[in-house]
């Protein structure tokens, strides 16, 4: 390529590990004294993603399961967008990634990369951006300031239950009980 740059094809290796790379001008008779280390790794492959859907505003986390993840510094690829992954302690074949912003109603390829979007193991994994739920009605609409009122909430879009359903009363989140695909029941918290 130039007087100071050559391109070498990497030969296969029987197992992951380090190999010292030397260069030669005469077919290998004389080689460089100093070598540099090249590391062979297990090929990266993705197997599953969970959860496989989330809100279009992003900011939630997914876990990608696969092979060859280990403690490598990887990027998570969401289509053409890459974000840093985070290793999960004690989980050698899992990576955790924060989902970037997307467009509701779309789904994109998801994978892992060591070298940016051009060297990505996308496989067939998909992530869907789904619209969040919206409240249609609640009964009763009044209750005691000490809390404890069971409130039946009718809502559209209650399909995502990754962390379980919940209701927000101002800044206080309380668990909800699924009654049907469009109804949950929450107990109002005390008002602060």
């Amino acid at each position: 390529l130039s007087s100071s740059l050559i391109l070498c094809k990497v030969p296969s290796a029987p197992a992951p590990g380090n190999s010292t790379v030397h260069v030669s001008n005469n077919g290998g008779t004389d080689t460089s004294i100093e070598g540099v280390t090249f590391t062979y790794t297990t090929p990266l492959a993705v197997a599953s993603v969970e959860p496989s859907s989330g809100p279009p505003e992003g900011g939630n986390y997914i876990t990608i399961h696969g092979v060859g993840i280990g403690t490598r510094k990887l990027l998570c690829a969401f289509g053409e967008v890459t974000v840093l992954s985070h290793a999960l302690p004690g989980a050698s074949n899992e990576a955790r990634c924060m989902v970037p912003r997307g467009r509701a109603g779309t789904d994109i390829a998801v994978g892992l990369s060591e070298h940016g979007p051009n060297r990505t193991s996308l496989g067939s994994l998909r992530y869907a951006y789904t619209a969040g739920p919206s409240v249609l009605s609640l009964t009763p609409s009044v209750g005691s300031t000490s809390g404890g009122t069971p409130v039946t909430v009718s809502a559209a879009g209650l399909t995502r239950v990754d962390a379980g359903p919940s209701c927000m009363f101002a800044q206080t989140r309380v668990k909800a009980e699924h009654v049907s695909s469009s109804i949950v029941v929450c107990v109002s918290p005390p008002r602060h």
Side-chain angles (χ1 to χ4, degrees):
L1 297 174
S2 74
S3 63
S4 62
L5 182 64
I6 61 172
L7 179 64
C8 300
K9 183 177 179 182
V10 178
S12 63
N18 294 333
S19 179
T20 303
V21 177
H22 295 274
V23 295
S24 171
N25 281 326
N26 57 10
T29 304
D30 299 313
T31 62
S32 58
I33 296 171
E34 294 294 321
V36 292
T37 301
F38 178 85
T39 303
Y40 286 93
T41 60
T42 303
L44 186 60
V46 294
S48 65
V49 59
E50 59 182 319
S52 59
S53 65
E57 53 270 15
N60 54 305
Y61 284 88
I62 62 166
T63 300
I64 296 179
H65 305 271
V67 176
I69 295 172
T71 58
R72 291 155 97 167
K73 292 183 179 181
L74 298 173
L75 298 171
C76 295
F78 292 83
E80 296 296 315
V81 177
T82 56
V83 297
L84 290 175
S85 74
H86 306 282
L88 295 173
S92 64
N93 286 314
E94 296 178 351
R96 186 177 171 143
C97 315
M98 182 185 285
V99 178
R101 182 176 293 276
R103 201 172 73 238
T106 62
D107 76 328
I108 57 173
V110 176
L112 294 172
S113 171
E114 270 188 298
H115 308 288
N118 296 332
R119 299 271 181 104
T120 301
S121 176
L122 286 174
S124 60
L125 301 182
R126 307 294 291 178
Y127 181 83
Y129 288 102
T130 56
S134 58
V135 174
L136 302 174
S137 66
L138 59 115
T139 306
S141 60
V142 295
S144 169
T145 57
S146 59
T149 303
V151 179
T152 301
V153 181
S154 173
L158 287 177
T159 56
R160 285 194 340 260
V161 291
D162 301 337
S166 63
C167 296
M168 288 287 288
F169 289 82
Q171 300 301 315
T172 304
R173 181 181 304 274
V174 296
K175 288 187 176 209
E177 179 185 329
H178 255 283
V179 175
S180 71
S181 62
S182 62
I183 296 176
V184 294
V185 174
C186 306
V187 176
S188 66
R191 180 142 192 234
H192 299 286

